[in-house]
Amino acid sequence: MSLLEENQATDLEQMVGLTRRRFIGAGALCGAAMFLGGNLLSRSALAVNATTASPLLGFTGIAAASSDAITLPPGYSASVLISWGQPLHKNAPAFDPSGNGTAKAQEQQFGDNNDGMSLFAFPGDNNRALLAINNEYTNYRYLYAHGGAPQSAEDVRKAQASEGVSVIEVQRKGGTWQFVQDSRYNRRIHGNSPIRLSGPAAGHAWLKTSADKSGKKALGTFQNCANGKTPWGTYLTCEENFTDCFGSSNPQQNFDAGQKRYGVTAASRDINWHQHDPRFDMAKNPNELNRHGWVVEIDPFDPQSTPVKRTALGRFKHENAALAETRDGRAVVYMGDDERGEFIYKFVSRDPINHHNSKANKNLLDHGTLYVAIFDAGDGNADHPKGKGQWVELTHGKNGIDAGSGFASQAEVLIHARLAASVVKATRMDRPEWIVVSPTDGQVYCTLTNNAKRGEDGQPVGGPNPREKNVYGQILRWKADKDNHGASEFTWDLFVVAGNPGVHAGTPKGGSSNINPQNMFNSPDGLGFDKAGRLWILTDGDYSNAGDFAGMGNNQMLCADPATGEIRRFMVGPVACEVTGISFSPDQKTLFVGIQHPGETGGSTWPEHLPNGKPRSSVMAIRRDDGGIIGA
Ligand code: FEO
Ligand code: CA
Ligand code: CA
């Protein structure tokens, strides 16, 4: 999500088939600037990994960089697809870089801080698609002319308008994918859009407010982190740090166990919506909090449709939603809860997916079973730990989840999924971020981004969380028993343990065998697979380029071969950004990637590089100059 989240020390090393430092190659970054459409958009770098061990990775890895530009391998170019504030329709107001644009204008413009996204191709047309793109949060520094926290109801409404989801049409013209302004599919869903609540918790007393006595009609989605795409053609947007938006006009308000566990505070976490919008004031509308923290399903091809919050998937700080299918055809949704020491979940639908009639799946995610993961301590291998795990059902009346442990119904279990998962002693993880499923062998990968508190606060060191004060993060992988995502057991290993071999000699903090001074990174966050099975890794880490992070440069995107473990740096983002959100065109010849919060702490005018220009979060389209498959 944002800056300098946490970081400190580490431990352990692993191996995934390659010898450490094997790819030490040529050297320094320099590179030629490339101008596209008049703007400096990308910079190609000299190779650092001259040799190729992997048949999957055909590009030359690049050096770390700290420039205010996109850096790519030789032979690749980037262009801006869409930026924060761009009007979605011709009659919508233009972006106002002064910060004086209105909330009403922002409701008609591309949202801020784009994050997870999915591409939906038009059937039978390879040159037309929709992109559904999350807009996670906003930077007040740039949103308002005054550059500070919201000062009025209009300010709050503008912030709410900047978050949520943007659906846009894109078309390929002359080989380049472009945003189609005024498409009838272009749509904003934001912090005040009508949204339906469905599933077992819908209508529960804890979801009722003075404005909605039914408990089924919520207003708004915000803090939309990452995403999922269902096999039946809908988009899932995941509500993550929703508690940040709430506060209380009573500074002494006592919060109950559920409210505390989800982390709401009276002072609010620098967002201060509650001061100007009573909906977010816990002293006035405490149940509003329970109407957020869900996965929301959107039909991108029906711009009139009402998005639906699917309560059967549980309420927590959702990162993303990775779809898979059981052997008997039911939908599986893997989900991480991104907070230190929180859990990994799996939802399995009651009914099978109907692959012949997509509309028949419209309520599929309302009925099913939620599970949480328990990992064993593993084999303790310092190089490449591995072990076993199991999924434990979070169903009222089972596994000690009942009135005796504080749950009156399944609705309460879902609303307080974190508390229910603690009852069954789920494994407290190092901040689970994205989860993806390999299209080639069905193995599941999950970024555990970092956790400076590992080893404290009752969080044991070991298993898939092997390092105390983990500042660098790791990528966990698991394989379902008998390759059936419906199975209750699995085996796990760590695909990579990030580290800094330039600063720390040896195993623990230098990272695993597939980390070397040329590909090192910290805080893996976004993940994506392309059709060929390349694993793309996007980072949201410490970009100070100093201390524990010396030599790592700006946040970046890397590409891995899951079979050999080789990891190569593919792209470096501009100053103080996070690289997040990834999709491919159907022919795999264009990669869409998000640059979020460039210059969040200043120091950037990317992508426009105008005098006194403001940085703007943007979605980029990356192509090979020879028109080939990305990464090959
Ligand atoms: Fe929005 Fe956990 O990242
Ligand atoms: Ca993230
Ligand atoms: Ca992150």
Side-chain angles (χ1 to χ4, degrees):
M1 173 189 176
S2 69
L3 106 124
L4 310 175
E5 291 183 24
E6 52 220 61
N7 283 315
Q8 291 289 312
T10 338
D11 266 301
L12 237 247
E13 168 155 314
Q14 144 238 22
M15 112 101 239
V16 184
L18 294 174
T19 307
R20 173 194 290 273
R21 329 286 185 247
R22 175 165 163 185
F23 297 103
I24 297 177
L29 166 72
C30 63
M34 303 177 69
F35 290 84
L36 293 169
N39 293 330
L40 173 66
L41 291 173
S42 62
R43 185 182 296 275
S44 61
L46 283 187
V48 294
N49 302 331
T51 55
T52 295
S54 162
L56 265 188
L57 309 184
F59 65 93
T60 44
I62 63 170
S66 298
S67 55
D68 196 27
I70 298 271
T71 312
L72 290 166
Y76 284 84
S77 305
S79 57
V80 172
L81 183 79
I82 193 166
S83 296
W84 165 49
Q86 214 160 321
L88 298 192
H89 295 278
K90 284 189 177 133
N91 59 2
F95 177 66
D96 180 350
S98 74
N100 286 317
T102 64
K104 194 170 175 208
Q106 177 65 80
E107 287 175 1
Q108 305 165 72
Q109 297 165 340
F110 187 63
D112 199 3
N113 283 338
N114 44 271
D115 204 307
M117 58 180 155
S118 295
L119 182 139
F120 299 84
F122 276 72
D125 189 342
N126 285 336
N127 296 312
R128 228 180 140 194
L130 299 181
L131 271 174
I133 306 167
N134 286 353
N135 300 111
E136 189 179 31
Y137 70 109
T138 187
N139 295 355
Y140 297 141
R141 182 189 187 101
Y142 303 119
L143 185 71
Y144 308 130
H146 58 68
Q151 297 176 356
S152 64
E154 164 69 12
D155 275 1
V156 169
R157 194 157 181 105
K158 185 176 181 185
Q160 291 162 346
S162 75
E163 300 185 13
V165 175
S166 301
V167 179
I168 61 169
E169 181 174 343
V170 291
Q171 283 183 15
R172 182 161 52 186
K173 291 177 182 161
T176 308
W177 285 91
Q178 295 166 15
F179 161 57
V180 181
Q181 193 187 46
D182 232 22
S183 162
R184 76 177 195 86
Y185 296 100
N186 292 351
R187 174 182 194 190
R188 280 303 319 281
I189 297 160
H190 52 70
N192 285 295
S193 300
I195 307 212
R196 190 162 67 81
L197 285 150
S198 75
H204 187 272
W206 293 354
L207 299 184
K208 293 177 180 173
T209 64
S210 53
D212 171 29
K213 303 246 181 331
S214 73
K216 295 180 178 178
K217 293 179 183 172
L219 212 50
T221 183
F222 39 83
Q223 303 281 319
N224 303 74
C225 187
N227 61 303
K229 181 181 175 183
T230 67
W232 53 95
T234 59
Y235 182 68
L236 302 180
T237 181
C238 301
E239 299 177 342
E240 190 187 26
N241 295 304
F242 64 98
T243 53
D244 290 5
C245 303
F246 291 80
S248 177
S249 53
N250 171 10
Q252 262 71 54
Q253 182 165 354
N254 286 320
F255 294 115
D256 64 27
Q259 293 162 338
K260 279 183 184 157
R261 178 63 182 273
Y262 284 79
V264 67
T265 65
S268 176
R269 283 193 55 184
D270 301 325
I271 297 214
N272 298 330
W273 290 3
H274 69 287
Q275 294 174 1
H276 305 286
D277 185 344
R279 186 155 69 96
F280 296 88
D281 185 345
M282 291 294 292
K284 296 178 178 144
N285 285 298
N287 281 354
E288 183 65 24
L289 187 76
N290 298 328
R291 294 147 67 87
H292 306 281
W294 303 103
V295 172
V296 188
E297 186 170 10
I298 296 167
D299 180 354
F301 284 104
D302 182 358
Q304 309 307 321
S305 60
T306 302
V308 184
K309 299 199 182 200
R310 300 292 182 191
T311 66
L313 276 60
R315 174 172 166 269
F316 40 94
K317 293 186 182 173
H318 283 278
E319 183 71 18
N320 84 330
L323 276 289
E325 193 171 328
T326 65
R327 276 281 172 81
D328 60 1
R330 291 172 294 147
V332 172
V333 189
Y334 290 110
M335 301 170 285
D337 181 354
D338 180 11
E339 190 128 56
R340 291 183 196 128
E342 289 297 341
F343 310 129
I344 295 174
Y345 297 82
K346 174 177 88 164
F347 169 84
V348 181
S349 68
R350 182 191 66 190
D351 302 322
I353 301 169
N354 186 327
H355 288 286
H356 308 291
N357 176 9
S358 56
K359 298 286 180 205
N361 303 301
K362 67 177 186 176
N363 296 318
L364 194 72
L365 298 182
D366 282 343
H367 307 282
T369 306
L370 189 64
Y371 301 83
V372 70
I374 295 183
F375 296 82
D376 71 1
D379 60 5
N381 186 301
D383 191 50
H384 181 200
K386 53 185 183 295
K388 293 182 174 175
Q390 59 175 312
W391 295 104
V392 179
E393 192 172 336
L394 300 178
T395 298
H396 190 259
K398 291 188 180 177
N399 299 321
I401 302 169
D402 51 27
S405 52
F407 300 89
S409 65
Q410 184 62 14
E412 291 190 8
V413 171
L414 296 169
I415 295 168
H416 288 159
R418 284 182 167 185
L419 299 178
S422 286
V423 169
V424 302
K425 298 188 168 50
T427 303
R428 302 184 66 190
M429 309 300 289
D430 285 346
R431 296 189 53 203
E433 298 247 31
W434 289 48
I435 300 176
V436 289
V437 182
S438 166
T440 54
D441 67 6
Q443 291 200 77
V444 189
Y445 292 69
C446 174
T447 44
L448 300 172
T449 194
N450 59 51
N451 181 357
K453 301 281 188 189
R454 175 61 58 186
E456 303 171 23
D457 187 28
Q459 297 182 50
V461 175
N465 308 285
R467 293 185 297 193
E468 191 174 13
K469 294 186 170 49
N470 174 16
V471 301
Y472 295 120
Q474 63 267 23
I475 299 179
L476 167 67
R477 166 169 67 184
W478 66 84
K479 180 175 166 59
D481 191 31
K482 297 187 174 61
D483 292 320
N484 181 4
H485 292 286
S488 58
E489 312 215 315
F490 57 87
T491 55
W492 64 266
D493 70 340
L494 292 188
F495 177 68
V496 61
V497 181
N500 191 330
V503 172
H504 302 289
T507 303
K509 298 177 189 171
S512 51
S513 338
N514 46 350
I515 293 295
N516 59 59
Q518 277 66 48
N519 72 3
M520 61 186 183
F521 61 92
N522 74 89
S523 305
D525 186 334
L527 286 175
F529 269 109
D530 60 27
K531 275 185 188 163
R534 292 177 202 86
L535 177 64
W536 297 82
I537 303 165
L538 291 67
T539 73
D540 171 23
D542 188 309
Y543 44 75
S544 63
N545 207 26
D548 276 341
F549 311 99
M552 290 179 166
N554 295 346
N555 276 309
Q556 55 198 268
M557 175 163 61
L558 307 102
C559 186
D561 180 338
T564 66
E566 183 183 350
I567 299 173
R568 229 177 264 185
R569 188 180 293 112
F570 178 83
M571 186 193 88
V572 180
V575 166
C577 80
E578 166 183 347
V579 180
T580 185
I582 180 166
S583 274
F584 290 86
S585 60
D587 62 6
Q588 309 287 289
K589 292 179 176 176
T590 297
L591 183 164
F592 300 100
V593 63
I595 301 297
Q596 192 194 65
H597 65 65
E600 66 173 346
T601 49
S604 173
T605 54
W606 186 90
E608 294 183 74
H609 292 281
L610 301 172
N612 303 316
K614 285 186 175 183
R616 290 167 75 182
S617 293
S618 302
V619 177
M620 308 300 295
I622 293 175
R623 284 196 304 152
R624 261 169 71 165
D625 299 338
D626 65 3
I629 304 288
I630 302 294

